[in-house]
């Protein structure tokens, strides 16, 4: 028993990098490798094959874990509540899956008595941060190994040579020129020609979405029902979150909706050009936002916008299990009660438009809003409201006029503070 090797749990994808990791961890670190393959809804042609590959490469065990239900119910549900978009655009596809995978890695480490966890991320991306921060927060006694950061295999060719020399099966299929990470919430595509921000993404990078030009000529309407902030039915049929997300990906993707092309600020300080296709994620967030617009009280809605941004940033930066995010979650949770109702979306050639909304908790009041007969709004009350609302500005304006330092940007010659200001003197 004493000569039993120590164990490492490796996040395994079946690609070249993580296959080389298995061998490298054995040879260089003298560890027994337990591979973990997570099904988070990514495109694949059979994870059993991936398992065989791990075992053939030398892993002592390979667990294929279906994480999709948990991903939808315990991770994407929060992203919907937060209308989560990093830099107002990216719905956090990869950022959401990492803490989920990390949680399973830690569980497997405990189960198999492993002291080490390894991942195949490079030193340049966000994913390493997300894995490591998550693992450390779940169990600070575990030690993390990142072989790709440690080894000296700079190019793919060097890696293939190392693999051949060490008996690691090298994939025969030609590798895509892109780096891709995908799951239930969408697909991230980077590298290759995309590294030139001036070049339009070639059509072949997209697999979840039809090009808007080739999308159906007929629009399609979809009704999404929410209960306390979570989608619970699609087109009148009750359904689970996982299934609704899959259906939305299908429908929105068919209509060419959900392609993004952006320059993004990574946590490690690099700006990168990223393309995403996120048909279901964007459609559901769009619908959820529309329902919130109907049922949330104004101050809650306005403050929520700030929390949403902070939430997305925390999750992007790997802080899923942090006390900070937990605090945001508590705020979000209180806002989701009564986000219940139905949103009608219209998909057409790359667009998704909210065209209808209804809820028992609607705060929209026809009597207050209408300009027709039946208007109950007290027009006379507006005068006193405006007097007080504008009172401090009025006091200010009176004084500055008297002192002749009126700083209007509309070209008044006495605007002395603004003299020489290029935006004013254009
Ligand atoms: N830039 C995105 C993010 O940080 C996508 C990362 C995708 N990962 C990958 N290995 N291609 O969330």
């Amino acid at each position: 028993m004493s000569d039993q090797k120590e164990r490492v749990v490796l996040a395994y994808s079946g690609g070249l990098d993580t296959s080389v990791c298995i061998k490298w961890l054995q040879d260089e670190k003298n560890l027994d490798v337990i591979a973990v393959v997570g099904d988070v809804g990514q495109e694949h042609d059979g994870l059993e094959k991936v398992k065989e590959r791990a075992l053939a490469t030398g892993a002592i065990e390979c667990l294929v874990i279906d994480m999709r239900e948990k991903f939808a119910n315990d991770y994407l549900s929060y992203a919907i509540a937060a209308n989560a978009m990093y830099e107002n655009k990216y719905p956090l596809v990869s950022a959401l899956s990492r803490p989920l995978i990390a949680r399973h890695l830690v569980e497997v480490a405990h189960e198999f008595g492993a002291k080490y966890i390894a991942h195949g991320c490079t030193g340049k991306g966000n994913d390493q941060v997300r894995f490591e921060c998550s693992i450390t927060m779940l169990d600070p006694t575990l030690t993390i190994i990142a072989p790709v950061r440690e080894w000296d295999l700079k190019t793919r060719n060097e890696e293939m040579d190392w693999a051949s020399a060490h008996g690691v099966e090298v994939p025969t299929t030609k590798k895509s020129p892109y780096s891709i990470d995908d799951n239930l919430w969408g697909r991230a595509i980077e590298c290759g020609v995309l590294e030139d921000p001036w070049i339009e993404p070639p059509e072949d990078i997209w697999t979840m979405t039809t090009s808007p030009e080739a999308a159906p000529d007929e629009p399609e309407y979809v009704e999404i029902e929410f209960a306390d902030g979570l989608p619970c039915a699609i087109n009148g049929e009750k359904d689970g979150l996982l299934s609704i997300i899959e259906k939305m990906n299908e429908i929105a993707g068919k209509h060419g909706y959900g392609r993004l092309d952006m320059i993004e600020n990574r946590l490690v300080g690099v700006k990168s050009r990223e393309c995403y296709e996120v048909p279901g994620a964007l459609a559901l967030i769009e619908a959820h936002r529309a329902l919130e617009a109907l049922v949330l009280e104004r101050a809650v809605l306005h403050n929520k916008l700030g929390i949403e941004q902070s939430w997305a940033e925390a999750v992007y930066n790997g802080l899923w299990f942090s006390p900070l995010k937990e605090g945001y979650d508590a705020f979000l949770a209180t806002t989701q009660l009564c986000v219940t109702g139905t949103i009608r979306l219209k998909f057409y050639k790359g667009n998704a438009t909210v065209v209808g909304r209804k809820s028992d908790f609607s705060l929209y009041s026809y009597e207050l809003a209408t300009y027709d007969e039946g208007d109950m709004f007290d027009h006379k009350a507006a005068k006193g409201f405006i007097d007080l609302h504008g009172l401090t500005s009025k006091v200010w304006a009176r004084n500055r006029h008297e002192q002749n330092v009126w700083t209007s940007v509309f070209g008044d010659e006495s605007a002395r503070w603004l003299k020489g200001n290029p935006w004013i003197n254009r």
Side-chain angles (χ1 to χ4, degrees):
M1 218 32 202
S2 59
D3 62 348
Q4 195 191 332
K5 285 198 210 167
E6 291 203 293
R7 294 169 165 185
V8 59
V9 175
L10 168 71
Y12 184 67
S13 72
L16 179 66
D17 283 349
T18 50
S19 296
V20 170
C21 281
I22 293 182
K23 200 79 191 159
W24 188 89
L25 288 163
Q26 291 175 321
D27 290 8
E28 301 292 321
K29 302 284 175 182
N30 195 31
L31 295 168
D32 273 342
V33 180
I34 295 149
V36 171
V37 182
D39 184 355
V40 286
Q42 69 272 39
E43 293 168 350
H44 63 76
D45 41 289
L47 293 179
E48 278 311 304
K49 276 193 258 173
V50 175
K51 174 174 177 163
E52 281 164 27
R53 181 130 201 255
L55 296 174
T57 312
I60 59 159
E61 179 67 84
C62 179
L63 307 173
V64 178
I65 306 176
D66 184 351
M67 308 177 182
R68 291 172 307 154
E69 282 287 348
K70 196 169 174 57
F71 192 31
N73 297 330
D74 298 347
Y75 291 73
L76 302 183
S77 52
Y78 285 86
I80 293 170
N83 298 316
M85 303 219 183
Y86 179 66
E87 294 184 338
N88 270 336
K89 209 162 169 169
Y90 162 48
L92 299 174
V93 177
S94 308
L96 290 161
S97 74
R98 301 310 182 219
L100 167 72
I101 297 169
R103 178 178 268 283
H104 282 95
L105 296 173
V106 171
E107 273 170 21
V108 173
H110 291 166
E111 195 183 322
F112 284 81
K115 286 193 205 135
Y116 302 90
I117 290 186
H119 62 71
C121 302
T122 71
K124 212 163 151 170
N126 297 313
D127 290 328
Q128 52 172 348
V129 182
R130 298 167 182 154
F131 271 131
E132 295 183 30
C133 288
S134 298
I135 293 163
T136 303
M137 283 185 262
L138 292 170
D139 183 350
T141 68
L142 291 166
T143 301
I144 295 155
I145 308 176
V148 180
R149 276 197 319 235
E150 271 189 54
W151 68 40
D152 280 322
L153 308 170
K154 295 220 168 45
T155 64
R156 191 169 164 85
N157 280 340
E158 277 178 42
E159 215 175 305
M160 300 231 264
D161 290 345
W162 192 96
S164 311
H166 291 78
V168 178
E169 188 196 332
V170 174
T172 45
T173 47
K174 200 166 163 289
K175 192 196 185 291
S176 146
Y178 310 110
S179 164
I180 291 162
D181 183 55
D182 67 322
N183 60 50
L184 213 48
W185 211 226
R187 256 177 104 240
I189 312 113
E190 48 191 330
C191 303
V193 293
L194 299 174
E195 286 179 354
D196 180 346
W198 181 247
I199 293 191
E200 182 176 352
E203 196 51 38
D204 71 352
I205 70 166
W206 311 110
T207 64
M208 292 177 83
T209 53
T210 315
S211 85
E213 290 94 330
D217 291 322
E218 290 301 313
E220 182 169 352
Y221 292 87
V222 178
E223 287 186 12
I224 313 280
E225 193 184 325
F226 291 83
D228 289 337
L230 285 178
C232 63
I234 178 164
N235 288 330
E237 268 182 50
K238 290 278 171 213
D239 211 339
L241 185 55
L242 171 59
S243 165
I244 291 176
I245 293 168
E246 286 170 342
K247 286 175 183 161
M248 284 308 289
N249 276 333
E250 197 64 42
I251 298 167
K254 183 173 78 193
H255 288 277
Y257 178 67
R259 294 183 174 184
L260 302 178
D261 173 1
M262 68 188 284
I263 300 291
E264 172 181 308
N265 287 288
R266 289 191 192 161
L267 179 59
V268 294
V270 176
K271 277 193 197 291
S272 64
R273 200 279 187 88
E274 309 271 342
C275 293
Y276 300 106
E277 43 188 351
V278 278
L282 282 196
L284 288 171
I285 289 176
E286 220 31 72
H288 181 258
R289 271 196 183 133
L291 183 56
E292 287 190 329
L294 191 65
V295 304
L296 290 188
E297 186 272 332
R298 181 179 64 185
V300 172
L301 182 78
H302 287 185
N303 281 279
K304 185 170 183 283
L305 294 175
I307 299 283
E308 288 174 357
Q309 213 157 55
S310 306
W311 191 96
E313 209 167 292
V315 171
Y316 185 88
N317 290 342
L319 302 180
W320 180 271
F321 295 109
S322 69
L324 175 65
K325 172 176 164 295
E326 200 167 71
Y328 294 146
D329 284 341
F331 175 86
L332 292 177
T334 65
T335 66
Q336 294 308 291
L337 209 66
C338 302
V339 179
T340 297
T342 304
I343 295 297
R344 194 155 187 257
L345 286 171
K346 177 182 181 176
F347 291 97
Y348 182 62
K349 292 211 178 279
N351 292 301
T353 318
V354 173
V355 294
R357 63 284 274 163
K358 61 178 180 185
S359 166
D360 290 343
F361 302 95
S362 169
L363 303 181
Y364 174 87
S365 156
Y366 176 81
E367 291 75 27
L368 289 177
T370 184
Y371 285 93
D372 290 340
E373 265 169 70
D375 180 4
M376 302 285 281
F377 186 87
D378 183 355
H379 290 249
K380 297 210 170 64
K383 169 147 188 2
F385 167 74
I386 297 165
D387 285 348
L388 297 187
H389 172 69
L391 185 58
T392 61
S393 333
K394 189 173 171 182
V395 171
W396 166 84
R398 211 181 256 151
N399 173 274
R400 297 303 188 271
H401 274 287
E402 280 165 15
Q403 299 300 326
N404 199 26
V405 286
W406 173 244
T407 58
S408 161
V409 295
F410 301 115
D412 190 303
E413 283 310 314
S414 69
R416 57 177 175 155
W417 307 116
L418 301 175
K419 289 243 167 75
N421 183 325
W423 285 280
I424 304 302
N425 294 337
R426 227 171 245 276

